Amino acid sequence: MKIQLIRHATLLLTYAGVRFLIDPMFSGREENPPIPNTANDRRNPLVPLPAAVSPNTYAQPDVLVVTHLHRDHWDSAAAAVIPKATPVLCQPGDEAAFQEAGFTSVTAVNASISVHGVTLTRTSGQHGTGEIGRMMGRVSGFVFQAEGEPTVYLAGDTIWCEDVREAIAIHKPEWAILNAGGARFTTGDPITMDADDMIQVCRFAPQLKLVAVHMDAINHCLVTRADLRERLAREGLLEQVMIPEDGEKVVG
């Protein structure tokens, strides 16, 4: 198993010999406006991709997995370059967006699906609390399982909540990829995990190896890698959490 952080939530997961491209956002640096109603007006993405998009990097995966349709997880730049015959796995209700973009093999995962010998089980999450959480809409994560591979839990855009507790308790993953960064608006609570949430996960499942992503690339993600490292170090939890840089690979 190999996890490569491309940038933000965009990952290339090589698992049981299958290349899964997850939540691709291929826009160039500062091509998009800032997320509104946030603490700054920096244009997005804040940083460039670590390598140009090409078939030799990550533009031709075996399978495309998109947890939800927010622009920082699926953008027009990705839709333009990924081959339209690429199998797409998404959450129910998102199929039309990919079909309209010309993709010819789109599957909404209700519970679980097997592709190339890998079983993916869809999980739920909470993309914030209260009215903001409801406005952010439905989000999903996925658990990856295959013979001879560690179980990997991709949580998606969620805060620490009962959905995450249940996913960890039921599937007993050895690895979890968590969208940190404490994304938030000028009002309300964070809509993705912040340092406090990461600490909760560490203490709930001390045996779990964590990979923290979704930082330093979008203007409303206010918890930086440096912030998270410092906080985890103070709590004595830094050894449990890997915080890769853009382009970096984690092997398990």
Side-chain angles (χ1 to χ4, degrees):
M1 183 275 297
K2 181 168 63 181
I3 301 164
Q4 182 180 16
L5 171 63
I6 307 304
R7 181 186 61 186
H8 193 55
T10 305
L11 304 164
L12 187 63
L13 172 63
T14 304
Y15 190 83
V18 185
R19 284 163 45 96
F20 292 93
L21 178 62
I22 297 167
D23 285 356
M25 174 185 62
F26 287 168
S27 294
R29 182 174 181 264
E30 298 183 346
E31 283 186 1
N32 302 323
I35 304 293
N37 301 317
T38 56
N40 62 75
D41 60 357
R42 301 176 67 189
R43 291 183 62 83
N44 293 311
L46 306 179
V47 294
L49 288 164
V53 177
S54 75
N56 295 325
T57 53
Y58 28 81
Q60 290 192 351
D62 298 314
V63 181
L64 175 61
V65 178
V66 179
T67 60
H68 66 302
L69 294 176
H70 288 168
R71 191 174 182 178
D72 60 327
H73 292 252
W74 173 246
D75 66 359
S76 58
V81 299
I82 297 171
K84 297 301 185 285
T86 305
V88 180
L89 304 181
C90 63
Q91 64 181 359
D94 289 354
E95 307 96 310
F98 301 101
Q99 293 162 348
E100 290 167 5
F103 288 86
T104 58
S105 179
V106 182
T107 303
V109 181
N110 286 294
S112 64
I113 189 171
S114 181
V115 291
H116 302 300
V118 178
T119 299
L120 284 80
T121 302
R122 190 173 65 81
T123 60
S124 298
Q126 293 182 30
H127 202 356
T129 58
E131 183 60 25
I132 290 176
R134 286 187 289 274
M135 290 175 62
M136 296 304 291
R138 185 184 205 179
V139 291
S140 294
F142 291 92
V143 175
F144 294 77
Q145 294 173 300
E147 185 175 354
E149 293 280 5
T151 298
V152 177
Y153 169 40
L154 172 76
D157 266 7
T158 182
I159 57 174
W160 171 244
C161 61
E162 188 59 32
D163 293 310
V164 177
R165 289 188 194 90
E166 287 185 1
I168 294 172
I170 291 170
H171 298 287
K172 298 178 173 53
E174 290 140 277
W175 290 81
I177 305 168
L178 303 178
N179 291 352
R184 67 188 308 160
F185 301 101
T186 51
T187 60
D189 297 321
I191 59 173
T192 64
M193 291 194 188
D194 60 8
D196 287 340
D197 287 347
M198 293 293 298
I199 289 166
Q200 294 268 38
V201 178
C202 287
R203 290 177 174 160
F204 178 75
Q207 77 290 348
L208 189 57
K209 300 183 182 81
L210 305 180
V211 181
V213 299
H214 204 271
M215 288 171 284
D216 296 326
I218 298 293
N219 76 298
H220 72 328
C221 294
L222 304 182
V223 177
T224 67
R225 291 181 177 100
D227 294 335
L228 184 58
R229 285 191 187 99
E230 180 182 355
R231 181 69 188 285
L232 291 170
R234 291 204 312 266
E235 300 290 336
L237 297 170
L238 189 55
E239 290 187 1
Q240 188 180 346
V241 184
M242 278 150 265
I243 307 174
E245 300 294 325
D246 293 350
E248 188 175 348
K249 299 173 183 177
V250 175
V251 179

